[in-house]
Amino acid sequence: MEATPGRPGHGRVVVGVDGSPSARSAVGWAADEAALRGGGLVLVHATDTDAASRFLSRAETARRHRAGRELLDRTVEAVVAGHPGLTPVTELGDGTPHDALRRAAALSGTIVVGHRGLGGFSSLLLGSVGLEVVAAATRPVVVVRGPAPSTVSGVVLAAVRDGDDLGCAVAAAQEAALRKAHLRLLHVWSVPPGAWTRLRGGAEQGARDHVLPLSDVADRIREDFPDLTVHADGEKSHSAAGALVDASHHADLLVVGGRRSPGYLGPTIGRTTLGVLQHAHCPVELIPRHGPGHGSSS
């Protein structure tokens, strides 16, 4: 994969709007991102009336459309008040939220969703719309958790599992360059509980074996982004997801790759990725894997 320093390989930013506090946080993040990129911002609201059309009266369908349009208009006003240079585009659809977001993103957009929507099942750690969008992602997806932090760390964190995460690292480098932030590449290898003693004798060689792919990725990023400060760290842990979540305390954005593992919550969500999406302390950007060098995460 060829990186293009200083020219982010992302298109417009597409964000879901449903009136929930989580969606408002997502809209704020998406507006900031679009302003950084100097690109377009698309606000999407889906009435989800197609599936229920047999059960809805024309009056109810019209009411939902009016409510959706009013919500989009209010959201545009709020965005422009904070970012006068942005001219958001709005899309109001009758289908499901995840289908509307995917269509709006097309082949060149980044989708942004809030962590929770307006639906029930509050015990779910990731809202159903976010889960569906992430599980079938073919474009980058950002899940925004909670309100914007009061302080900025100046760090973009990228999870690097092996050499196939080069694409993920490039995306993180582009985000760090936009923010004039440092990039931290973190490789975590899992050690099962009780294995510490058995591994102690070969720990040094094992660490070298694990960190070698990280060093290769870091060298490539430094070559392609010479003005970027890059830190590369290796860490062993009982839980890769837990280590990444801990590291997210000190990051403005965590970028992870999507591993195509059939049969587990869709093509891009593995256990580590799902754990990070559920518990990270900063927004998480998922980079789907489309082939070697385009991002991979367990």
Side-chain angles (χ1 to χ4, degrees), residues 5 36 68 81 84 92 96-97 189 205 216 257 292 294:
L36 283 172
L92 178 65
T96 63
W189 66 97
Q205 180 60 47
D216 292 341
H294 283 70

Side-chain angles (χ1 to χ4, degrees), residues 48-286:
D48 203 7
T49 52
D50 277 351
S53 59
R54 291 181 300 170
F55 311 103
L56 296 176
S57 66
R58 289 185 178 181
E60 175 60 18
T61 300
R63 186 198 67 78
R64 293 191 183 189
H65 275 258
R66 286 195 303 273
R69 173 50 56 196
E70 290 170 0
L71 174 61
L72 286 171
D73 289 345
R74 291 195 303 272
T75 305
V76 168
E77 291 177 4
V79 167
V80 173
H83 298 278
L86 287 180
T87 305
V89 173
T90 62
E91 293 194 10
L92 178 65
D94 298 326
T96 63
H98 54 278
D99 284 340
L101 288 165
R102 282 197 287 265
R103 283 197 300 272
L107 299 178
S108 63
T110 295
I111 297 174
V112 181
V113 294
H115 185 248
R116 296 287 309 146
L118 289 174
F121 301 101
S122 60
S123 62
L124 292 177
L125 293 169
L126 180 62
S128 59
V129 172
L131 187 60
E132 290 185 77
V133 171
V134 169
T138 58
R139 293 293 308 157
V141 177
V142 178
V143 177
V144 178
R145 298 180 54 86
S150 57
T151 59
V152 175
S153 70
V155 174
V156 172
L157 174 67
V160 176
R161 181 174 182 265
D162 52 35
D164 283 344
D165 268 330
L166 175 60
C168 172
V170 168
Q174 292 169 343
E175 294 285 3
L178 282 176
R179 291 163 171 76
K180 296 181 173 56
H182 294 184
L183 173 64
R184 183 187 181 197
L185 305 175
L186 178 60
H187 171 78
V188 182
W189 66 97
S190 297
V191 179
W196 299 98
T197 302
R198 296 195 304 272
L199 293 175
R200 192 172 297 158
E204 185 175 341
Q205 180 60 47
R208 283 197 297 269
D209 293 342
H210 278 286
V211 174
L212 184 60
L214 171 65
S215 299
D216 292 341
V217 170
D219 288 344
R220 176 63 183 274
I221 295 299
R222 291 187 179 107
E223 177 183 347
D224 289 340
F225 295 83
D227 296 328
L228 192 64
T229 299
V230 179
H231 305 282
D233 300 313
E235 181 179 328
K236 61 183 177 181
S237 172
H238 293 321
S239 167
L244 290 168
V245 168
D246 287 344
S248 74
H249 271 292
H250 311 289
D252 299 322
L253 177 68
L254 168 56
V255 183
V256 298
R259 182 182 186 185
R260 293 189 176 278
S261 63
Y264 189 79
L265 293 180
T268 60
I269 303 183
R271 289 177 176 82
T272 298
T273 303
L274 183 58
V276 167
L277 288 168
Q278 290 174 333
H279 300 291
H281 301 282
C282 66
V284 178
E285 181 170 6
L286 176 78

